[in-house]
Amino acid sequence: MTPNRHWFKSYKPCQIPVRLADNNVIYAAGMGSVVFTLVKNENVLCQIELSNVLHVPLLGKNLLSVLTLTRKHNFEVHIQNSTMSFSLNNEPLFEATVREDNSAILNAATITQTALSSSVLSPDLWHRRFCHIGRDRLKQLISGSYVIKLDVKSSHSLPSLPDLCQHCLAGKHHRFAFPHTASNRRTKPLELIHSDLHGPVSVQTPHKHRYWISFIDDCTRYRTVYLLHKKSDAFTAFKEFKAFAEKQTGHSIKALRDDKGGEYMS
């Protein structure tokens, strides 16, 4: 994995999640091959091409998976002092130098690829270069005369633009507003019950309750609250509320609305 787009000899857009050591998830923008010039004792040996390399723009450093080389490509790795040797079919291919911080740097130099002309760029790349412009506006730029020499590779078309762009979702997408009606309040008790679970709270009650759940009748706005020891007690509380409310009102609960927090999915 690398954040350097200019290293790639071949490249195709993709969206692959990458989980970091701190458990955060970032996304690869593309995948392709990278060419390295191998160096040993300041002498140039040969060139190798690594395939299926992920382009991860938010990655801080370049990463090479040693386990992928050994488990999927039958490489052998030998570590002696501050040198890691990589061999394939008993033939030494390249080495890496182990630093004081226990990270290893390949003894190789990457080959910067010649900049691609606009005629071979994909809509996804133009989408990112134009600060994540919308699909309709990008189509206007390509088909109109607003930008000079803005061409798209013939094998690509606007439908190849990803429908889901994580950066657009995080930066500028807006949710549609809920439709407003003249009156959406229920007219009879228990036709709709709103429920929400809260907790865990940092300070528990004297009886060791750390959660509480509320039930609100949409018609009367009557509120009922139950204290819970754990989140999985939510369904038990609902059954208790249901028996109490239906006995008191003579009506049956028609619908229950919650925030899909998972308290009823145990």
Side-chain angles (χ1 to χ4, degrees), residues 39-200:
V39 179
K40 185 176 183 179
N41 298 327
E42 298 183 356
N43 296 319
V44 177
L45 300 180
C46 61
Q47 292 183 354
I48 61 170
E49 182 174 336
L50 300 181
S51 59
N52 298 326
V53 179
L54 291 179
H55 172 222
V56 187
L58 296 181
L59 198 64
K61 297 181 179 180
N62 307 304
L63 297 177
L64 175 65
S65 175
V66 176
L67 290 179
T68 298
L69 293 178
T70 56
R71 298 177 62 183
K72 295 185 177 181
H73 302 286
N74 298 321
F75 272 74
E76 294 182 358
V77 179
H78 300 277
I79 303 177
Q80 184 176 5
N81 295 328
S82 60
T83 301
M84 296 180 62
S85 301
F86 295 81
S87 303
L88 182 63
N89 298 326
N90 296 323
E91 179 182 355
L93 288 183
F94 53 90
E95 294 181 346
T97 300
V98 181
R99 303 190 301 183
E100 293 297 330
D101 59 356
N102 291 328
S103 63
I105 303 297
L106 283 180
N107 298 332
T110 55
I111 299 179
T112 301
Q113 302 299 323
T114 305
L116 298 175
S117 65
S118 63
S119 61
V120 297
L121 297 182
S122 66
D124 175 68
L125 182 57
W126 283 120
H127 167 72
R128 289 182 279 114
R129 283 188 171 183
F130 282 110
C131 300
H132 295 268
I133 189 173
R135 184 190 299 269
D136 293 337
R137 292 187 179 183
L138 180 59
K139 184 177 181 179
Q140 292 177 2
L141 293 180
I142 294 176
S143 60
S145 58
Y146 301 101
V147 180
I148 299 175
K149 295 183 180 181
L150 176 59
D151 299 322
V152 177
K153 187 177 179 181
S154 59
S155 62
H156 291 82
S157 59
L158 281 179
S160 68
L161 198 63
D163 292 327
L164 179 62
C165 176
Q166 296 294 332
H167 304 290
C168 290
L169 292 176
K172 64 181 181 180
H173 263 199
H174 300 279
R175 296 181 182 273
F176 288 110
F178 288 102
H180 294 282
T181 58
S183 177
N184 56 2
R185 288 278 296 273
R186 298 301 191 267
T187 58
K188 295 181 180 180
L190 305 189
E191 284 191 337
L192 175 62
I193 300 297
H194 301 276
S195 176
D196 196 11
L197 178 73
H198 305 266

Side-chain angles (χ1 to χ4, degrees), residues 241-261:
F241 166 76
K242 180 178 183 296
F244 165 78
E246 291 182 347
K247 183 177 180 180
Q248 292 294 322
T249 63
H251 296 276
S252 298
I253 294 179
K254 301 298 183 182
L256 176 71
R257 177 179 294 167
D258 69 332
D259 60 357
K260 302 298 183 290

Side-chain angles (χ1 to χ4, degrees), residues 218-230:
D218 192 77
C219 174
T220 63
R221 294 304 191 203
Y222 185 83
R223 294 169 174 82
T224 306
V225 177
Y226 292 87
L227 300 180
L228 309 176
H229 290 102
K230 51 187 181 296

